[in-house]
Amino acid sequence: MIKTKLISNVLAPCTADLNCAAINAHLVNTLGLGLSGINSIKDANRNQLFMALSLAALYDAIMPSWRATNDAIRKNDSKKLCYFSMEFLMGRVLSNNLINLQARDNLLQSLKAVGIDINAIENTEKDAGLGNGGLGRLAACFLDSLATLRLPATGYGLLYELGFFKQQIWDGHQVELPDEWMEVNNFWGIKREDETRIVKFFGNVERKPGLNKRDKSTIKGYEHVSAIPFDIPIVGFDYKGKSFIDTLRLFKTTLFKPNGFSLIPYQEGDYEAAYRNIINTDSAAITAVLYPNDSHWQGKELRLKQQFFLVSAGLQDIIVNFKKNHDNFEDFPKKVALQINDTHPSLIIPELMRILVDEEDIPWDKAWEITQKTVNYTNHTILPEALEKWDIDLMRKLLPRQVEIIEEINESHLSKIRVVPCDVDRIKRLSIIDGKDVNMARLAIVGSSKVNGVSQLHARK
């Protein structure tokens, strides 16, 4: 149980006053609109007012409490929930934050006094294109509840450049256009390039002669992709003037290759050749669109890349922070809870095993004990046709070491079933590897300490 009372007691009260003066200060000084002759809040347009108000809320009101929350969590060495989800349907960030800061009513009156409608400013913001339905809304509500209850948590997801799609009707037909949701919203995420993680795909597994899949191995000849984190504050509902701020950390790939620009052809006037190698299309595609079409092989590979990209970057982040204060992984389940929202992040199980065995030199059985104690799984469906499966050949090509680990997990799992009277059909129904498919729900169940359903129906089944 997390000692929330200790954390609440050391939080600093929010002293910022969100009013016209605060908005005007960011209009003139932060956005530099004073250089354009805009020196009054009355001269600004709706987009400018939205940006200035959001900056005032983020840097004047939220940031001090956000920093105080993180300092308190570190000081108390509190256990933290790390919530992995492919979707976070957050809605409009500004409105939610103003309400949770209990600042909206006073701000409404302040703006009304100068003839500005707060609703018009709030309506400028687009819904963040980070989720599509119940999966993402559950994740968003969960984070909001955790912050309000003063429970230390970090949500881990992907920063999609484009949302699901924007629907329009042309000549009586539906047309799907890119949902460019970040046009206005993009400054809510604070870029943390100093904490970029490297995610590895493909390659070959190597180990010393005589060793098996359970022993320390290395991956050679891999391709790497940079995962750049962006942090978004999750503001809990204000209590006695003190706000508890959790974090949503979203990872994004980069479109540009480092050192991809060629100076010599540029100087010779061949500008096309100069820029030819600068775009990193394969990497950029990972966080380009929420839910790429997976009706073809390339789309399936991209979706699997998205899922592992999230899992690998998030786990690296968690372990780096854990090792700052702990040198014994026996304490890992005492300080970290990994909650996976549906099966999409279930690769967290073999990847955590890989890190513990291959990078931290922990014996297989101990690594498995740590993994099972740390991971928990939320199930969203019991329909067989909706349960996620991956072709094992595709997985082996993209994630060779992780597939080895899944095979060993499955063999150990089945060995326990075989020691009791059990028919062949039952073994097939319980196996993580079913023919050429890896059943991700079974992997999530076998590798987790606790399994819950979104509803009682899911939980009972």
Side-chain angles (χ1 to χ4, degrees), residues 33 44 65 143 152 188 195 209 252 265 314 338 370 405 414 418 435:
L33 296 180
S65 293
L143 289 186
W188 272 111
E195 297 186 12
K252 189 177 184 299
L338 302 175
I370 293 169
I405 292 170
L414 293 181
R418 292 190 189 105

Side-chain angles (χ1 to χ4, degrees), residues 198-202 222-225 308 312 359 398-399:
I198 301 300
V199 179
K200 301 174 182 178
F201 296 104
F202 305 106
Y222 57 82
E223 294 181 11
H224 73 269
V225 177
F308 183 72
S312 175
E359 297 183 7
L398 196 66
L399 307 168

Side-chain angles (χ1 to χ4, degrees), residues 11 19 44 91 102 141 171 198 207 228 264 270 292 332 421 428:
L11 290 184
N19 52 29
Q102 294 200 46
C141 292
D171 297 327
I198 301 300
R207 64 179 68 89
I228 305 169
I264 293 175
D270 190 351
F332 194 65
K428 187 177 184 298

Side-chain angles (χ1 to χ4, degrees), residues 17-21 23 41 49 53 94-95 98-99 101-122:
D17 189 7
L18 293 178
N19 52 29
C20 290
I23 297 171
I41 192 172
L49 289 171
L53 174 54
L94 177 60
S95 299
L98 291 177
I99 291 169
L101 289 168
Q102 294 200 46
R104 191 179 185 280
D105 290 343
N106 289 337
L107 182 61
L108 183 151
Q109 297 303 322
S110 180
L111 289 169
K112 188 176 181 180
V114 293
I116 296 174
D117 180 8
I118 191 172
N119 292 301
I121 299 176
E122 292 174 325

